[in-house]
């Protein structure tokens, strides 16, 4: 579990008695953000009618996220496109950078994913109330449900709505942590079983690394698409 | 299968005592939660601002430019196509007209030529007729004159022969009368 420990880098920064020191987690957030910026900078440096490779990749990412949003949340979600795009890129890069040996996986910390999920939850709720007023509460009362079941369903809906930030954050955090822990465990087996027996866990490690890269992409995608779905609920009120 | 795998893994973990020193989850240690939250918000805010204000408009602009360019090119291509189709139609009508003209000219010239030939032929025929008539007249005259000269020659010849044979000169007019008589008798034989 040593790979998940957070430690201070540089001097201690304390603001109003709260420790806000720059840590290895902060460092890898900055690295991910810088990588995204650098990549997008390279991709948008030249405006070519016929794109080169890196421009093509940025345009594919743009279209990928744009399609994801328009498919799940419709055209009303266009103003939130930059946020979803940033969110997707940030989670994806944090996951991917975490796959490098000796690196730190920012998204394997519950506090990071929880803050992102809470922000999305609060923002979506505010958007819902701003767009629809108190009618937004009708999201808890699905239409076409028998009157007897309605109290039960409403309670379930409220619970499921409130558990959104928890499920969203825990899904990402647990996936990343579990994957890295598995890799660590199999790596430990390689060492403990030595040169004779270590080959099997080593091959497992290699396979798991491939799987983890898939999971890293998939979780970023799931995180972004769930955000789109929540946004869709807030924008298009037709439960 | 999964359960057995996790059991085996758990067994190995306990047996080898690999992680005893690292027990517990660092994620649940709240020491740096505030720091992580602070840096996350800071980094993500900067990233969001740079992406939304700087990079996405550029990508979108470029994509729109390309779409517009493609649309423009397609429109131009369509325009050119229409133009070329109109030109082809124009060309076809011109060709049609020209063909008609050619046929007309051909017919006209053929008629003209026929007329010309006819008239020339008539003129020629008349001329030939005239010539033939003239020649016939000449021949007749020539015949007449030749008969007269033949008569003279025959008179001379006859008088000379008679003179040579009999030795005396005969009256010229009587010889002439005789020759005339003979020639009249035999004229049909020679002419």
């Amino acid at each position: 579990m040593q790979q998940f420990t957070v430690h201070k880098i540089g001097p201690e920064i304390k603001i109003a008695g709260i420790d806000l020191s720059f840590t290895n987690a902060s460092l890898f957030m900055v690295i991910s953000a810088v990588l995204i910026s650098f990549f997008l900078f390279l991709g948008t440096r030249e405006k070519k009618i016929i794109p080169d490779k890196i421009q093509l990749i940025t345009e594919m990412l743009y279209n990928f996220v744009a399609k994801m949003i328009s498919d799940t949340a419709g055209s009303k979600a266009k103003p939130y496109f930059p946020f979803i795009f940033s969110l997707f890129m940030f989670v994806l890069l944090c996951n991917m950078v975490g796959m490098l040996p000796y690196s730190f996986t920012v998204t394997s910390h519950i506090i990071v994913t929880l803050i992102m999920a809470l922000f999305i939850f609060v923002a979506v709720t505010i958007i819902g109330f701003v767009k629809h007023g108190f009618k937004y509460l009708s999201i808890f009362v699905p239409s076409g449900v028998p009157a007897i079941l309605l109290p039960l369903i409403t309670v379930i809906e409220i619970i499921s709505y409130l558990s959104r930030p928890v499920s969203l954050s825990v899904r990402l955090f647990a996936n990343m942590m579990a994957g890295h822990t598995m890799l660590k465990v199999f790596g430990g087996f390689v060492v403990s079983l030595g040169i004779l027996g270590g080959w099997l866990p080593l091959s497992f490690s290699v396979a798991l690394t491939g799987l983890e890269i898939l999971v890293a992409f998939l979780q970023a995608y799931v995180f972004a698409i769930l955000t789109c779905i929540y946004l869709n609920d807030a924008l298009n009120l037709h439960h | 299968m999964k359960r057995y795998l996790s059991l085996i893994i758990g067994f190995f973990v306990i047996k080898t005592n690999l992680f005893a020193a690292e027990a517990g989850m660092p994620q649940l240690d709240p020491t740096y939660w505030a720091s992580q939250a602070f840096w996350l918000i800071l980094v993500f805010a900067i990233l969001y601002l740079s992406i939304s204000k700087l990079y996405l408009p550029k990508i979108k602009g470029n994509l729109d430019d390309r779409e517009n360019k493609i649309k423009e090119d397609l429109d131009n291509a369509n325009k050119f196509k229409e133009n070329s189709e109109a030109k082809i139609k124009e060309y076809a009508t011109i060709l049609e007209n020209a063909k008609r003209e050619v046929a007309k000219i051909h017919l006209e010239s053929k008629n003209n030529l026929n007329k010309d030939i006819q008239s020339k032929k008539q003129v020629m025929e008349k001329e030939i007729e005239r010539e033939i008539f003239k020649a016939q007249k000449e021949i007749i005259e020539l015949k007449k004159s030749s008969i007269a000269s033949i008569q003279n020659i025959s008179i001379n010849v006859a008088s000379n022969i008679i003179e040579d044979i009999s030795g005396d000169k005969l009256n010229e007019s009587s010889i002439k009368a005789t020759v005339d008589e003979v020639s009249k008798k035999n004229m049909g034989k020679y002419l």
Side-chain angles (χ1 to χ4, degrees):
Chain A
M1 290 298 176
Q2 188 248 329
Q3 59 169 325
F4 298 120
T5 51
V6 180
H7 52 82
K8 210 162 38 197
I9 297 174
E12 188 174 77
I13 304 167
K14 264 200 170 174
I15 295 170
I18 305 164
D19 189 1
L20 299 177
S21 307
F22 193 78
T23 61
N24 55 344
S26 324
L27 175 68
F28 278 93
M29 287 175 199
V30 172
I31 287 174
S32 302
V34 166
L35 279 177
I36 295 167
S37 300
F38 184 61
F39 173 70
L40 288 177
F41 169 73
L42 284 184
T44 54
R45 193 177 34 174
E46 285 172 273
K47 278 187 153 196
K48 285 183 189 158
I49 286 295
I50 297 162
D52 53 15
K53 281 174 196 163
I54 196 144
Q55 191 186 343
L56 191 69
I57 295 170
T58 55
E59 280 165 9
M60 276 166 70
L61 275 169
Y62 181 98
N63 283 330
F64 175 73
V65 179
K67 194 173 183 309
M68 181 169 83
I69 292 173
S70 65
D71 282 355
T72 51
S75 57
K76 277 190 202 165
K78 257 208 172 124
Y80 311 104
F81 174 65
F83 177 74
I84 307 271
F85 187 82
S86 310
L87 192 70
F88 174 68
M89 290 299 284
F90 186 67
V91 175
L92 180 68
L93 258 287
C94 285
N95 292 354
M96 286 298 183
V97 167
M99 284 310 297
L100 296 173
Y102 297 108
S103 68
F104 180 87
T105 317
V106 178
T107 44
S108 70
H109 273 249
I110 181 73
I111 183 69
V112 173
T113 58
L114 187 67
I115 282 172
M116 289 197 278
L118 272 177
F119 176 77
I120 292 160
F121 175 75
V122 171
V124 162
T125 310
I126 288 171
I127 289 166
F129 277 114
V130 166
K131 295 258 169 189
H132 304 288
F134 280 104
K135 257 177 74 185
Y136 184 58
L137 289 174
S138 71
I139 195 175
F140 301 125
V141 190
S143 58
V145 175
I148 306 165
L149 282 175
L150 210 52
L152 185 65
I153 295 286
T154 306
V155 170
I156 290 172
E157 285 284 336
I158 289 170
I159 291 170
S160 86
Y161 188 82
L162 292 178
S163 67
R164 273 174 178 184
V166 178
S167 69
L168 192 61
S169 59
V170 167
R171 182 182 297 109
L172 179 58
F173 145 72
N175 265 289
M176 297 323 292
M177 196 195 77
H180 285 268
T181 309
M182 283 278 275
L183 279 175
K184 169 83 183 179
V185 167
F186 277 96
F189 284 163
V190 177
V191 176
S192 65
L193 291 178
I195 192 111
L196 290 174
W199 295 104
L200 189 68
L202 181 65
S203 60
F204 254 77
S205 268
V206 172
L208 275 176
T209 307
L211 182 74
E212 279 312 305
I213 287 170
L214 177 73
V215 168
F217 172 78
L218 205 67
Q219 287 306 319
Y221 178 66
V222 165
F223 201 86
I225 207 160
L226 279 173
T227 308
C228 290
I229 289 169
Y230 298 160
L231 205 56
N232 179 42
D233 283 346
L235 291 173
N236 311 308
L237 198 59
H238 48 69
H239 217 286
Chain B
M1 183 69 201
K2 237 180 182 174
R3 187 178 292 166
Y4 286 126
L5 197 70
S6 56
L7 266 177
I8 292 166
I9 289 169
F11 174 73
F12 267 102
V13 169
I14 293 160
K15 185 102 195 280
T16 51
N17 207 8
L18 262 176
F19 307 109
E22 302 159 350
M25 281 166 69
Q27 284 94 335
L28 300 179
D29 172 18
T31 316
Y32 288 111
W33 278 7
S35 151
Q36 269 174 302
F38 169 73
W39 285 101
L40 172 70
I41 291 165
L42 187 70
V43 170
F44 189 77
I46 292 168
L47 181 71
Y48 170 73
L49 283 178
S50 68
I51 282 181
S52 66
K53 296 284 176 240
L54 198 67
Y55 297 123
L56 286 187
K58 267 189 183 172
I59 299 176
K60 186 166 163 44
N62 200 19
L63 286 173
D64 286 352
D65 279 358
R66 182 170 314 137
E67 206 169 301
N68 286 341
K69 175 101 176 83
I70 289 170
K71 217 188 222 168
E72 220 170 81
D73 284 359
L74 278 179
D75 281 355
N76 275 344
N78 271 340
K79 225 180 272 164
F80 282 134
K81 200 181 155 199
E82 271 163 27
N83 273 353
S84 69
E85 267 167 11
K87 280 269 185 289
I88 285 172
K89 240 176 227 172
E90 214 174 292
Y91 167 76
T93 50
I94 288 171
L95 202 69
E96 196 89 343
N97 285 348
K99 266 184 188 168
R100 228 174 281 151
E101 197 100 344
V102 165
K104 217 164 83 183
I105 289 169
H106 182 71
L107 201 72
E108 248 171 41
S109 57
K110 208 169 148 190
N111 286 348
N112 279 349
L113 222 60
N114 271 347
K115 242 184 255 168
D116 212 22
I117 287 168
Q118 220 81 36
S119 63
K120 282 226 169 105
K121 215 170 155 187
Q122 272 173 2
V123 170
M124 274 305 206
E125 271 170 2
K126 263 179 202 159
E127 193 114 335
I128 287 165
E129 249 169 59
R130 224 173 19 233
E131 287 291 322
I132 288 170
F133 189 69
K134 226 158 92 185
Q136 274 173 344
K137 235 167 148 181
E138 262 171 38
I139 288 165
I140 289 164
E141 251 158 54
L142 219 66
K143 262 183 196 168
K144 273 182 190 160
S145 64
S146 65
I147 286 165
S149 46
I150 284 165
Q151 265 173 345
N152 280 345
I153 293 164
S154 354
I155 291 163
N156 273 343
V157 169
S159 65
N160 283 351
I161 288 169
I162 290 162
E163 218 179 282
D164 277 2
I165 293 169
S166 61
D168 41 45
K169 247 184 169 177
L170 275 173
N171 191 8
E172 201 143 308
S173 57
S174 67
I175 291 169
K176 200 183 170 194
T178 324
V179 168
D180 274 353
E181 212 173 310
V182 171
S183 63
K184 255 177 205 164
K185 245 190 226 166
N186 293 330
M187 187 70 82
K189 246 192 227 171
Y190 303 112
L191 289 174

